[in-house]
Amino acid sequence: MNQLHILNGDATYEKFIQTGLDGDILVWREVFSEGPLSPVIDAAFWQQRAQWIADTFEDAPASYQDMVISELEKLSRPYEDITLWFDFDLHCKVNQLGVMQLLQQQADLSGPNIYLVSPDGYPGVENFRGMGQLSPEQLEDLYDNRLHLTDYDFTLAKEAWQKYNLFDAQALQEWLNSVPFWGSLHHLKTALTAQVKRLQTDHQGLTYIAQILLNLYEHGATSRDKLFEAFWNQHAIYGMGDAELDIYLKQLQSRGLVNLKD
């Protein structure tokens, strides 16, 4: 079968290529849960993203072209079957919404069958954080139970993408309350509810994520490794890696609120 697998990041890639699953692989290396977005994904959108990534992570624009844009060219090929591999957390869900927008814009959805693999756990795996923890055999098992995405799922994803792009906690919460049925997007509501919290700031102007990091620091997580590990243990729903958490940590450090030990 002529099929494409879209993996969210490289964490799952090494295990995935050891499976017996056929097809091409597109590795999604963007982080739409951070930085500027817009409802329409066009050339200007990618230019803005490339600049933000370069400025924020001190990465060369050419790297963005190679790691992100070149991979997206695969979406224009006539696949019969496309499977999205995205975990349950906010980081993955926002990326998934972006991918679904691209598929709507670039693919004839009446052509390929599009499926979703999106676990929030796996039997026997404690402290599940994502598919990168699973074996090739376990990934094959998830594939056998993938969900077929419908027109309703794509309509819902488009609405979610538009509401997310408002960066308005009240508007997003009102929309979440209004959705009667979540189709095959089982973990989307939980992830976007976490986004509602993330949009809130306190009297110091600190974002919710910064508040969490500061609280953990004040309760004894005084090294970067301990701080991030404590965050992941308590707030896996955000799916943030080191690079994303560093954005918030630098904000705290610039205000003199934390002084980490080596």
Side-chain angles (χ1 to χ4, degrees):
M1 181 185 296
N2 181 22
Q3 63 178 324
L4 175 68
H5 300 277
I6 303 179
L7 308 182
N8 188 61
D10 291 282
T12 311
Y13 178 78
E14 290 302 324
K15 300 285 185 64
F16 189 87
I17 60 176
Q18 298 175 46
T19 69
L21 300 175
D22 296 326
D24 294 336
I25 299 172
L26 186 162
V27 181
W28 181 266
R29 297 188 178 97
E30 248 285 8
V31 56
F32 280 174
S33 56
E34 302 295 336
L37 297 175
S38 65
V40 178
I41 301 179
D42 54 14
F45 173 92
W46 293 117
Q47 291 172 0
Q48 182 184 44
R49 290 297 302 177
Q51 189 61 56
W52 182 82
I53 292 289
D55 293 343
T56 304
F57 302 114
E58 299 179 356
D59 201 6
S63 175
Y64 190 86
Q65 176 68 36
D66 293 339
M67 301 293 285
V68 179
I69 303 300
S70 294
E71 281 286 286
L72 297 180
E73 294 173 0
K74 296 173 184 176
L75 293 179
S76 62
R77 301 175 188 173
Y79 291 103
E80 301 171 27
D81 188 303
I82 299 174
T83 301
L84 313 182
W85 298 75
F86 288 82
D87 284 306
F88 65 95
D89 55 77
L90 179 63
H91 164 78
C92 286
K93 287 298 134 197
V94 182
N95 282 339
Q96 178 190 317
L97 292 177
V99 169
M100 293 178 73
Q101 302 316 297
L102 285 172
L103 288 173
Q104 285 182 301
Q105 291 175 200
Q106 297 183 233
D108 178 5
L109 295 184
S110 65
N113 290 305
I114 303 178
Y115 299 89
L116 175 65
V117 176
S118 183
D120 63 351
Y122 193 90
V125 178
E126 296 183 5
N127 193 24
F128 181 82
R129 291 180 184 170
M131 288 182 278
Q133 295 172 262
L134 302 182
S135 69
E137 293 74 22
Q138 289 169 329
L139 293 175
E140 289 180 14
D141 178 54
L142 291 176
Y143 177 82
D144 290 340
N145 294 281
R146 59 188 179 154
L147 300 173
H148 186 227
L149 296 179
T150 66
D151 290 342
Y152 178 82
D153 294 320
F154 275 92
T155 297
L156 189 63
K158 184 175 182 178
E159 292 179 6
W161 177 256
Q162 291 172 341
K163 294 299 180 182
Y164 184 92
N165 270 269
L166 295 175
F167 295 99
D168 182 317
Q170 182 177 343
L172 181 56
Q173 185 62 65
E174 289 176 353
W175 179 77
L176 290 171
N177 294 340
S178 73
V179 177
F181 175 59
W182 291 91
S184 295
L185 308 183
H186 296 165
H187 308 307
L188 184 58
K189 183 176 183 179
T190 301
L192 292 182
T193 298
Q195 171 67 359
V196 171
K197 290 184 178 180
R198 195 169 71 133
L199 289 169
Q200 300 168 0
T201 57
D202 67 5
H203 65 283
Q204 300 181 79
L206 294 178
T207 63
Y208 182 68
I209 301 299
Q211 293 171 47
I212 293 172
L213 292 174
L214 180 59
N215 182 263
L216 292 171
Y217 170 80
E218 291 175 342
H219 284 80
T222 55
S223 72
R224 183 175 178 273
D225 289 346
K226 290 182 178 179
L227 185 61
F228 287 5
E229 185 64 27
F231 181 92
W232 294 326
N233 287 337
Q234 298 179 27
H235 303 280
I237 186 60
Y238 288 101
M240 293 179 174
D242 290 8
E244 292 78 55
L245 285 177
D246 273 332
I247 295 172
Y248 299 91
L249 182 57
K250 288 176 181 177
Q251 293 171 4
L252 293 171
Q253 291 172 321
S254 69
R255 296 177 61 168
L257 295 173
V258 301
N259 182 22
L260 297 180
K261 299 176 183 177
D262 293 335

